[in-house]
Amino acid sequence: MYNPPMNEGTEHTRRPGEAEARVVLERITGLPVVWIARFPTGLAHYVYDACIEDGRLYVVRLTTPAQRNDFAGAVYWHSRLAPRGVPLPALLHVDLAGELADFPALVLERLPGTDLDAVYPALTERELRRLAGEIVAIQRLAASLPLGPGYGFARSYADPALYPTWSDLLDARLARSRRWIRVAGVVDEALIDRLTVAFDAGRPYFATIEPRCFLDDLTTKNVIVDRGRLCGIVDVDWVCFGDPLLTPALTRMALLSRGYDPSYVAYWLELLDLSPAQSAAMTLYTALFAATFLGELGQAFNRALAPEVDQDRLQHLLAILDGLLSEAERQRPSFT
């Protein structure tokens, strides 16, 4: 759905798997694993749900050495966010050097529940409104951290990947989508030209954005829900500095792509009480993620082979992007 900023250029030779996850957990607990299964979500790392002999449940996260810095970021931000009250699972073991099973590993508390995406259609309006309020509160905790030294996705305050301006970060995302679309050859990259024109109208608004900390990936995944209630959030390998509207925009796009009613995002935005310019920016950000989703079609990422392109999904995403661009054109005067 949404890939890490440094997900390109990773090694494609040896990858961690269930055997390594089992070794890690058995070595740190001293008990055999009775069952283990890879979580179906996630394009960047290798994450396993596991139970040991005494019935305790764990999450084992593995990655390649080339992406070790993501796990270093998880440790870094856990130490800053958890003390502020952000509901993260306990970090039980850190092996960045891959000493236990040749791959960097994190072992975490297993929160009850599952990703929001898996239960979204069954949630009531009351539950969705409550969840939206809880996510807004978590984002305010993140925003209480000091401003960043730049804009974009950061594994620490010293991350050299940060951009001088918010527009620079958005331009880099547009360029990445163009590159992915060009390489996969699934859709016409001319759609990025239309999106770029729409973004140009928002430049005055983008120039007002401060490098404020927010959690960019609290969408329909990484938000763990059990019986209609928030249990916590997971996989905070980095934060983003910039416009926190990026997160509800990604959430809106995730819901639209699944054919779900995006009312949850509407409740979220009610709490934020957006200005007309912010509403217009929300549309642009959602369109940006529509292009990202299209760019992911035909890509392998951390899989051995790229999956076959689902033509129905392709047409669905194209229709979403076209609708968002039309909406952005109507909202363009809000930026002036």
Side-chain angles (χ1 to χ4, degrees):
M1 179 188 301
Y2 185 48
N3 301 289
M6 299 298 287
N7 196 35
E8 298 170 283
T10 57
E11 59 186 26
H12 293 276
T13 52
R14 187 164 170 244
R15 302 166 186 265
E18 181 181 307
E20 288 80 9
R22 183 183 294 270
V23 166
V24 167
L25 193 53
E26 290 182 345
R27 286 186 176 177
I28 69 166
T29 65
L31 291 174
V33 171
V34 296
W35 60 258
I36 187 168
R38 187 175 177 185
F39 283 98
T41 56
L43 298 176
H45 305 298
Y46 305 79
V47 186
Y48 293 86
D49 198 5
C51 178
I52 61 174
E53 190 176 54
D54 65 4
R56 284 179 291 167
L57 301 175
Y58 295 89
V59 171
V60 182
R61 301 186 69 208
L62 301 172
T63 196
T64 62
Q67 291 183 272
R68 179 183 291 111
N69 285 343
D70 286 351
F71 282 11
V75 176
Y76 180 93
W77 290 115
H78 192 284
S79 71
R80 284 152 179 79
L81 293 167
R84 289 178 181 261
V86 175
L88 296 166
L91 188 55
L92 304 175
H93 186 81
V94 176
D95 178 18
L96 297 181
E99 295 177 354
L100 294 178
D102 296 331
F103 293 97
L106 301 176
V107 179
L108 302 99
E109 168 192 14
R110 172 56 158 102
L111 297 175
T114 189
D115 277 332
L116 173 59
D117 180 75
V119 297
Y120 185 86
L123 296 180
T124 66
E125 177 185 343
R126 180 181 179 183
E127 289 168 337
L128 289 172
R129 285 187 178 275
R130 181 175 59 213
L131 181 61
E134 290 169 325
I135 294 300
V136 167
I138 289 171
Q139 293 288 26
R140 285 174 178 158
L141 292 173
S144 70
L145 287 167
L147 295 178
Y151 294 84
F153 305 92
R155 297 177 181 87
S156 75
Y157 274 95
D159 197 318
L162 292 173
Y163 293 87
T165 71
W166 183 237
S167 278
D168 290 334
L169 178 278
L170 298 174
D171 288 340
R173 289 281 142 160
L174 286 167
R176 188 185 70 170
S177 292
R178 184 186 295 276
R179 187 165 61 252
W180 284 355
I181 286 170
R182 182 178 297 161
V183 168
V186 175
V187 297
D188 189 344
E189 69 176 90
L191 63 86
I192 301 297
D193 296 332
R194 187 179 171 195
L195 185 55
T196 300
V197 170
F199 264 80
D200 285 343
R203 302 289 176 185
Y205 168 81
F206 302 147
T208 69
I209 299 301
E210 293 183 312
R212 194 162 300 283
C213 179
F214 67 94
L215 306 180
D216 63 286
D217 219 9
L218 300 190
T219 58
T220 57
K221 62 184 182 68
N222 300 331
V223 174
I224 307 302
V225 177
D226 184 39
R227 290 173 290 185
R229 290 188 170 273
L230 177 71
C231 293
I233 63 172
V234 298
D235 298 357
V236 181
D237 295 344
W238 55 83
V239 302
C240 191
F241 294 115
D243 191 345
L245 291 178
L246 206 66
T247 307
L250 175 53
T251 308
R252 181 187 180 196
M253 184 58 217
L255 293 171
L256 290 172
S257 75
R258 295 275 281 163
Y260 293 160
D261 177 359
S263 55
Y264 166 59
V265 177
Y267 305 147
W268 187 342
L269 299 181
E270 281 178 17
L271 295 171
L272 299 180
D273 190 23
L274 303 188
S275 70
Q278 287 176 312
S279 294
M282 258 293 298
T283 302
L284 290 179
Y285 297 156
T286 310
L288 175 64
F289 288 119
T292 301
F293 281 35
L294 284 163
E296 289 175 352
L297 298 177
Q299 307 290 344
F301 296 126
N302 68 348
R303 295 164 294 219
L305 296 172
E308 184 177 349
V309 174
D310 182 329
Q311 292 299 315
D312 289 339
R313 177 170 173 77
L314 169 61
Q315 295 306 316
H316 178 56
L317 293 176
L318 286 171
I320 291 171
L321 178 56
D322 185 68
L324 289 166
L325 288 172
S326 296
E327 184 180 345
E329 289 164 2
R330 292 191 297 271
Q331 292 176 315
R332 188 170 299 173
S334 299
F335 287 125
T336 58

